[in-house]
Amino acid sequence: MTPRTTRAQRLAMPLARDVVRDLAAEHGGCVRPVQLRRTDLDTGQVEQVLVPCGHTLATVCPSCAERARTLRAAQCREGWHLDAEPAITPDPASDEQRMWVEHRAETQQHRDQADAAGHDTDDLDELSAELDEEITRSGIRGSVLPNRMTRRHRSTRRRQDAPDLPRRPVAPRTIGKTYTAPDGAIFRPSMFLTLTCDSYGKVSADGTPARPDGYDYQRAARDALHFAALFDRLIQNLRRFTGYDLQYFAAIEPQKRLAPHVHVAIRGTVSRAELRQVLAATYHQVWWPPADTVRHDDAHLPAWHEPSAQYLDPATGEFLPTWDAALDAIGDDDEPLHVARFGLRFDAQGVLAGSRDSARCIGYLTKYLTKQIADCHQAQTDAQAAHAGRLADALRYEPCSPTCANWLRYGVQPKNAREGMRPGRCTGKAHRREYLGYAGRRVLVSRKWSGKTLADHRADRKAWLLETLGIADTDPARYTWEPVTPGDPDHMPPGQRLLHVVADRQKWHAALTNARARASGQPAANLSATGSAA
Ligand SMILES: [Zn+2]
Ligand SMILES: [Zn+2]
């Protein structure tokens, strides 16, 4: 007989499905596995395979996020202290890739002929764009016809308030210099660098402004929006200044005051004095139309004019300047909308390959990768919540890109304007609270860092695992894969999938422990490493 329990006692009992989920996560198994049906073309045998979801956020799937983080750490480690140039030789194009490029060439010719004859080319341009996507999807890097931007005449003179930077020709070398110690030992030091944004006002230890009304939220918002571009500038300047093709692995995350900062692993070293010089000379100018005067508040929004597909001023009935016209109107004497710079305080340290410092820095670089930007420092106090709220307010009406709906507020039609755009309701990620204005990629890796893509690093890991377990890799051409949908008779509901994940992970874990024991010469228990989930 089941003993009687109170409601409180029952509520205190763990829920079965939570236990399964926790167990799956504890064993490093995916908690939202995707079910695929695999058919062996040789034998006709059908098998159910559970594929990890691959999400990078720990709140969604802790195991997949942790795997992604470890992979990034491996990538960071491999590139940091390379002592030979990474070999990057493109594979020859496959038949499929050649086919897409041939299609694209044909379409280009039709388009140019139509254009010369004065016909509309919209459809052919659209087709070209679709073919470009196919070309990319087939695994070709770059594009057959990089966007030919019509460059506007713009003042390119250097800012008076930024010092000049000596420029050296950039050599194709990507590895750092070596130094020989008096005892003959050779060192190839690399560098770990942390850069922050400038000050927007004094902040207390909890990251909140000492005087909120004296804190420059607008500049904070604009710096966050353009942080990725500023980082690009810095790398360009560093390369020109140091004279080699400097490589980096960088992770962007927020500080307590919610401004982005960046940890950078750099191959090779730059002295502190040189870094100071490069930082002082590095800035990013945003040449956008002015956005400081509200011309159309929410009560007087521009109206959409359907026949011309443009926005007009509701008071005068005149069309607002288009994005291109507004850009053309920026003159030589105008100031850029924003100038982003790094703060002059930075942190730099030399790091030697394989040192404890190196492991610690890789920990910093990958620490927050499984979290959304805003979740790295969750508000614990009212003051912190209010600070986050004020930054979100500042970001709400700040234009995030040329296509941002907020431009209507400042009397300009956004690029590619369409009906229904509303300032303050732009769907750009940068405005969302969880991004704090920085919507770019969290990890920025230069192309010749490890000479490998994340997929290559993943394949390395798989190969290592298969070799450790003594399993032969499967021939991909031998199987066909289909997604299993809820209507299918062999569909497994999420709970059932999770049970399989737990069972499979246990088997894998045991097999791996066995393999390791075998490798170190100890006798192994008799366990097989078969299972359907990865
Ligand atoms: Zn997962
Ligand atoms: Zn926007």
Side-chain angles (χ1 to χ4, degrees), residues 33-44:
V34 179
Q35 187 185 353
L36 295 179
R37 191 184 298 120
R38 185 176 80 171
T39 310
D40 185 328
L41 294 177
D42 288 359
T43 63

Side-chain angles (χ1 to χ4, degrees), residues 148-162:
R148 288 158 301 168
M149 303 273 277
T150 38
R151 280 183 80 86
R152 281 187 175 71
H153 172 69
R154 178 133 310 143
S155 168
T156 48
R157 77 191 134 85
R158 285 196 62 81
R159 296 189 64 80
Q160 294 301 306
D161 52 359

